[in-house]
Amino acid sequence: MQPESLPRLTVRFYREASGSEPVREWLKSLPNDEKCEIGTDIKTVQFGWPIGMPVVRHMEKDIWEVRSRLSTRIARVLFTLEGSEMILLHGFIKRDRKTPKPDLDLARQRLRKLRSTR
């Protein structure tokens, strides 16, 4: 049995072949209060996995989203699981009711790249 104080998942950022980490860079571009809110939600998933709505929604086979409600807008971080590792694939500010296809396509593309390098 795992002690409650230890995370159930380790978190890492998806890394491009160039070395850039798009989700980390996106997070750095946000105001501090929004970075903290999204970070808290990611940490909730890290320590509480498996977890469902309203914090996490399963999007499709191997992609989930962390759902963050910020003070004036909504953010999403799309991730996948590799064993006990939560890999952050894509982050964005949600402007429509439905997750935009280009954002989901980008997460799928990064997941394919991730798996092709293993």
CSV table of all heavy atoms in Angstrom, one decimal, residues 48-80:
chain,number,residue,atom,x,y,z
A,48,GLY,N,-3.5,12.0,-6.6
A,48,GLY,CA,-4.8,11.4,-6.4
A,48,GLY,C,-5.2,10.3,-7.5
A,48,GLY,O,-6.3,9.8,-7.4
A,49,TRP,N,-4.3,10.1,-8.4
A,49,TRP,CA,-4.6,9.2,-9.6
A,49,TRP,C,-5.0,7.8,-9.1
A,49,TRP,O,-4.4,7.3,-8.2
A,49,TRP,CB,-3.4,9.1,-10.5
A,49,TRP,CG,-3.8,8.4,-11.8
A,49,TRP,CD1,-3.5,7.1,-12.1
A,49,TRP,CD2,-4.6,8.9,-12.9
A,49,TRP,NE1,-4.0,6.8,-13.3
A,49,TRP,CE2,-4.7,7.8,-13.8
A,49,TRP,CE3,-5.2,10.1,-13.2
A,49,TRP,CZ2,-5.4,8.0,-15.0
A,49,TRP,CZ3,-5.9,10.2,-14.3
A,49,TRP,CH2,-6.0,9.2,-15.3
A,50,PRO,N,-6.0,7.2,-9.6
A,50,PRO,CA,-6.9,7.7,-10.7
A,50,PRO,C,-8.0,8.7,-10.1
A,50,PRO,O,-8.5,8.5,-9.0
A,50,PRO,CB,-7.6,6.4,-11.2
A,50,PRO,CG,-7.6,5.5,-10.1
A,50,PRO,CD,-6.4,5.8,-9.2
A,51,ILE,N,-8.3,9.7,-10.9
A,51,ILE,CA,-9.2,10.7,-10.5
A,51,ILE,C,-10.1,11.1,-11.7
A,51,ILE,O,-9.6,11.0,-12.9
A,51,ILE,CB,-8.4,11.9,-10.0
A,51,ILE,CG1,-9.4,12.9,-9.3
A,51,ILE,CG2,-7.6,12.6,-11.0
A,51,ILE,CD1,-8.6,14.0,-8.6
A,52,GLY,N,-11.3,11.4,-11.5
A,52,GLY,CA,-12.2,11.8,-12.6
A,52,GLY,C,-12.7,13.2,-12.6
A,52,GLY,O,-12.0,14.1,-12.1
A,53,MET,N,-13.8,13.4,-13.1
A,53,MET,CA,-14.4,14.7,-13.2
A,53,MET,C,-14.6,15.3,-11.8
A,53,MET,O,-14.9,14.5,-10.9
A,53,MET,CB,-15.8,14.7,-13.9
A,53,MET,CG,-15.6,14.3,-15.4
A,53,MET,SD,-15.0,15.6,-16.4
A,53,MET,CE,-16.5,16.6,-16.7
A,54,PRO,N,-14.5,16.6,-11.6
A,54,PRO,CA,-14.4,17.6,-12.6
A,54,PRO,C,-12.9,17.9,-12.9
A,54,PRO,O,-12.6,18.8,-13.8
A,54,PRO,CB,-15.0,18.8,-12.0
A,54,PRO,CG,-14.8,18.6,-10.5
A,54,PRO,CD,-14.8,17.1,-10.3
A,55,VAL,N,-11.9,17.3,-12.3
A,55,VAL,CA,-10.5,17.6,-12.5
A,55,VAL,C,-10.0,17.0,-13.7
A,55,VAL,O,-9.2,17.6,-14.5
A,55,VAL,CB,-9.7,17.2,-11.2
A,55,VAL,CG1,-8.2,17.6,-11.5
A,55,VAL,CG2,-10.2,17.9,-10.0
A,56,VAL,N,-10.3,15.7,-14.0
A,56,VAL,CA,-9.8,15.0,-15.2
A,56,VAL,C,-10.9,14.4,-16.0
A,56,VAL,O,-11.9,13.9,-15.5
A,56,VAL,CB,-8.8,13.8,-14.7
A,56,VAL,CG1,-8.4,13.0,-15.9
A,56,VAL,CG2,-7.6,14.4,-14.0
A,57,ARG,N,-10.7,14.6,-17.3
A,57,ARG,CA,-11.7,14.0,-18.2
A,57,ARG,C,-10.9,13.1,-19.2
A,57,ARG,O,-9.9,13.5,-19.8
A,57,ARG,CB,-12.4,15.1,-19.0
A,57,ARG,CG,-13.4,14.5,-20.0
A,57,ARG,CD,-14.3,15.6,-20.5
A,57,ARG,NE,-14.8,15.2,-21.8
A,57,ARG,CZ,-14.9,15.9,-22.9
A,57,ARG,NH1,-14.5,17.2,-22.9
A,57,ARG,NH2,-15.4,15.5,-24.0
A,58,HIS,N,-11.4,11.9,-19.4
A,58,HIS,CA,-10.8,11.0,-20.4
A,58,HIS,C,-11.2,11.4,-21.8
A,58,HIS,O,-12.4,11.5,-22.1
A,58,HIS,CB,-11.2,9.6,-20.1
A,58,HIS,CG,-10.5,8.6,-21.0
A,58,HIS,ND1,-11.1,7.5,-21.6
A,58,HIS,CD2,-9.2,8.5,-21.4
A,58,HIS,CE1,-10.3,6.8,-22.3
A,58,HIS,NE2,-9.1,7.4,-22.2
A,59,MET,N,-10.3,11.8,-22.7
A,59,MET,CA,-10.6,12.3,-24.0
A,59,MET,C,-10.8,11.2,-25.0
A,59,MET,O,-11.7,11.2,-25.8
A,59,MET,CB,-9.6,13.3,-24.5
A,59,MET,CG,-9.4,14.5,-23.6
A,59,MET,SD,-10.9,15.5,-23.4
A,59,MET,CE,-11.0,16.2,-25.0
A,60,GLU,N,-9.8,10.3,-25.0
A,60,GLU,CA,-9.8,9.2,-25.9
A,60,GLU,C,-8.8,8.2,-25.4
A,60,GLU,O,-8.3,8.4,-24.4
A,60,GLU,CB,-9.5,9.6,-27.4
A,60,GLU,CG,-8.2,10.3,-27.5
A,60,GLU,CD,-7.9,10.8,-28.9
A,60,GLU,OE1,-8.8,11.5,-29.5
A,60,GLU,OE2,-6.9,10.5,-29.5
A,61,LYS,N,-8.6,7.1,-26.2
A,61,LYS,CA,-7.8,6.0,-25.7
A,61,LYS,C,-6.7,6.3,-24.8
A,61,LYS,O,-6.7,5.8,-23.6
A,61,LYS,CB,-7.3,5.2,-26.9
A,61,LYS,CG,-6.6,3.9,-26.6
A,61,LYS,CD,-6.1,3.2,-27.8
A,61,LYS,CE,-5.4,1.9,-27.3
A,61,LYS,NZ,-4.3,1.6,-28.2
A,62,ASP,N,-5.7,7.0,-25.2
A,62,ASP,CA,-4.5,7.3,-24.3
A,62,ASP,C,-4.3,8.8,-23.9
A,62,ASP,O,-3.2,9.2,-23.6
A,62,ASP,CB,-3.3,6.8,-25.0
A,62,ASP,CG,-3.3,5.2,-25.1
A,62,ASP,OD1,-3.8,4.6,-24.2
A,62,ASP,OD2,-2.7,4.7,-26.1
A,63,ILE,N,-5.4,9.6,-24.1
A,63,ILE,CA,-5.2,11.0,-23.8
A,63,ILE,C,-6.3,11.4,-22.8
A,63,ILE,O,-7.5,11.1,-22.9
A,63,ILE,CB,-5.3,11.8,-25.1
A,63,ILE,CG1,-4.2,11.5,-26.0
A,63,ILE,CG2,-5.3,13.3,-24.7
A,63,ILE,CD1,-4.2,12.2,-27.3
A,64,TRP,N,-5.9,12.1,-21.7
A,64,TRP,CA,-6.7,12.7,-20.7
A,64,TRP,C,-6.5,14.2,-20.7
A,64,TRP,O,-5.5,14.7,-21.2
A,64,TRP,CB,-6.4,12.1,-19.3
A,64,TRP,CG,-6.8,10.7,-19.1
A,64,TRP,CD1,-8.0,10.3,-18.5
A,64,TRP,CD2,-6.1,9.5,-19.5
A,64,TRP,NE1,-8.0,8.9,-18.5
A,64,TRP,CE2,-6.8,8.4,-19.1
A,64,TRP,CE3,-4.9,9.3,-20.2
A,64,TRP,CZ2,-6.4,7.1,-19.3
A,64,TRP,CZ3,-4.4,8.0,-20.4
A,64,TRP,CH2,-5.2,6.9,-20.0
A,65,GLU,N,-7.4,14.9,-20.0
A,65,GLU,CA,-7.2,16.4,-19.8
A,65,GLU,C,-7.3,16.7,-18.4
A,65,GLU,O,-8.2,16.2,-17.7
A,65,GLU,CB,-8.1,17.2,-20.7
A,65,GLU,CG,-9.5,17.2,-20.3
A,65,GLU,CD,-10.4,18.1,-21.1
A,65,GLU,OE1,-10.0,18.8,-22.1
A,65,GLU,OE2,-11.6,18.1,-20.8
A,66,VAL,N,-6.4,17.6,-17.9
A,66,VAL,CA,-6.5,18.2,-16.6
A,66,VAL,C,-7.3,19.5,-16.9
A,66,VAL,O,-7.0,20.3,-17.7
A,66,VAL,CB,-5.1,18.6,-16.0
A,66,VAL,CG1,-5.3,19.3,-14.7
A,66,VAL,CG2,-4.3,17.4,-15.9
A,67,ARG,N,-8.4,19.7,-16.1
A,67,ARG,CA,-9.3,20.8,-16.3
A,67,ARG,C,-9.1,21.8,-15.2
A,67,ARG,O,-9.4,21.5,-14.1
A,67,ARG,CB,-10.8,20.2,-16.3
A,67,ARG,CG,-11.0,19.1,-17.3
A,67,ARG,CD,-12.2,18.2,-17.0
A,67,ARG,NE,-13.4,19.0,-16.7
A,67,ARG,CZ,-14.3,19.4,-17.6
A,67,ARG,NH1,-14.1,19.1,-18.9
A,67,ARG,NH2,-15.4,20.0,-17.2
A,68,SER,N,-8.7,23.0,-15.7
A,68,SER,CA,-8.4,24.1,-14.7
A,68,SER,C,-9.4,25.2,-14.9
A,68,SER,O,-9.4,25.7,-16.1
A,68,SER,CB,-7.0,24.5,-14.8
A,68,SER,OG,-6.1,23.5,-14.5
A,69,ARG,N,-10.1,25.6,-13.9
A,69,ARG,CA,-10.9,26.8,-14.0
A,69,ARG,C,-10.2,28.0,-13.4
A,69,ARG,O,-10.0,28.0,-12.1
A,69,ARG,CB,-12.3,26.6,-13.2
A,69,ARG,CG,-13.2,27.7,-13.4
A,69,ARG,CD,-14.6,27.4,-12.9
A,69,ARG,NE,-15.3,26.3,-13.6
A,69,ARG,CZ,-15.9,26.5,-14.8
A,69,ARG,NH1,-15.9,27.7,-15.3
A,69,ARG,NH2,-16.5,25.5,-15.4
A,70,LEU,N,-9.8,28.9,-14.2
A,70,LEU,CA,-9.0,30.1,-13.8
A,70,LEU,C,-10.0,31.2,-13.4
A,70,LEU,O,-11.2,31.0,-13.6
A,70,LEU,CB,-8.1,30.5,-14.9
A,70,LEU,CG,-7.2,29.3,-15.4
A,70,LEU,CD1,-6.3,29.8,-16.6
A,70,LEU,CD2,-6.3,28.8,-14.3
A,71,SER,N,-9.5,32.3,-12.9
A,71,SER,CA,-10.5,33.4,-12.5
A,71,SER,C,-11.3,33.9,-13.6
A,71,SER,O,-12.5,34.2,-13.4
A,71,SER,CB,-9.7,34.5,-11.8
A,71,SER,OG,-8.8,35.1,-12.7
A,72,THR,N,-10.8,34.0,-14.8
A,72,THR,CA,-11.6,34.6,-15.9
A,72,THR,C,-11.6,33.8,-17.2
A,72,THR,O,-12.2,34.2,-18.2
A,72,THR,CB,-11.0,36.0,-16.3
A,72,THR,OG1,-9.6,35.8,-16.8
A,72,THR,CG2,-11.0,37.0,-15.2
A,73,ARG,N,-11.0,32.6,-17.1
A,73,ARG,CA,-11.0,31.7,-18.3
A,73,ARG,C,-10.7,30.3,-17.9
A,73,ARG,O,-10.6,30.0,-16.7
A,73,ARG,CB,-10.0,32.2,-19.3
A,73,ARG,CG,-8.6,32.4,-18.8
A,73,ARG,CD,-7.8,33.2,-19.8
A,73,ARG,NE,-6.4,33.2,-19.3
A,73,ARG,CZ,-5.4,33.5,-20.1
A,73,ARG,NH1,-5.6,33.7,-21.4
A,73,ARG,NH2,-4.1,33.6,-19.7
A,74,ILE,N,-10.7,29.4,-18.9
A,74,ILE,CA,-10.5,27.9,-18.6
A,74,ILE,C,-9.3,27.5,-19.3
A,74,ILE,O,-9.0,27.8,-20.5
A,74,ILE,CB,-11.8,27.2,-19.1
A,74,ILE,CG1,-13.0,27.6,-18.3
A,74,ILE,CG2,-11.5,25.7,-19.0
A,74,ILE,CD1,-14.3,27.1,-18.8
A,75,ALA,N,-8.5,26.6,-18.6
A,75,ALA,CA,-7.3,26.1,-19.2
A,75,ALA,C,-7.4,24.5,-19.2
A,75,ALA,O,-8.0,24.0,-18.4
A,75,ALA,CB,-6.0,26.5,-18.5
A,76,ARG,N,-6.7,23.9,-20.2
A,76,ARG,CA,-6.6,22.5,-20.3
A,76,ARG,C,-5.2,22.1,-20.5
A,76,ARG,O,-4.4,22.7,-21.2
A,76,ARG,CB,-7.5,22.0,-21.4
A,76,ARG,CG,-8.9,22.3,-21.3
A,76,ARG,CD,-9.6,21.5,-20.2
A,76,ARG,NE,-11.0,21.6,-20.2
A,76,ARG,CZ,-11.7,22.3,-19.3
A,76,ARG,NH1,-11.0,23.0,-18.4
A,76,ARG,NH2,-13.0,22.3,-19.3
A,77,VAL,N,-4.8,21.0,-19.9
A,77,VAL,CA,-3.5,20.3,-20.1
A,77,VAL,C,-3.8,18.9,-20.5
A,77,VAL,O,-4.3,18.1,-19.8
A,77,VAL,CB,-2.5,20.4,-18.9
A,77,VAL,CG1,-1.2,19.7,-19.2
A,77,VAL,CG2,-2.3,21.8,-18.5
A,78,LEU,N,-3.4,18.6,-21.8
A,78,LEU,CA,-3.6,17.2,-22.3
A,78,LEU,C,-2.4,16.4,-21.9
A,78,LEU,O,-1.3,16.8,-22.1
A,78,LEU,CB,-3.9,17.2,-23.8
A,78,LEU,CG,-5.1,18.1,-24.2
A,78,LEU,CD1,-5.2,18.1,-25.8
A,78,LEU,CD2,-6.4,17.6,-23.6
A,79,PHE,N,-2.7,15.1,-21.4
A,79,PHE,CA,-1.6,14.3,-21.0
A,79,PHE,C,-1.8,12.8,-21.3
A,79,PHE,O,-3.0,12.4,-21.7
A,79,PHE,CB,-1.3,14.4,-19.5
A,79,PHE,CG,-2.4,13.9,-18.6
A,79,PHE,CD1,-2.2,12.6,-18.1
A,79,PHE,CD2,-3.5,14.6,-18.2
A,79,PHE,CE1,-3.2,12.1,-17.2
A,79,PHE,CE2,-4.5,14.1,-17.4
A,79,PHE,CZ,-4.3,12.8,-16.9
A,80,THR,N,-0.8,12.0,-21.3
A,80,THR,CA,-0.9,10.6,-21.4
A,80,THR,C,-0.2,10.0,-20.3
A,80,THR,O,0.5,10.6,-19.5
A,80,THR,CB,-0.2,10.1,-22.8
A,80,THR,OG1,-0.6,8.8,-23.0
A,80,THR,CG2,1.3,10.3,-22.8
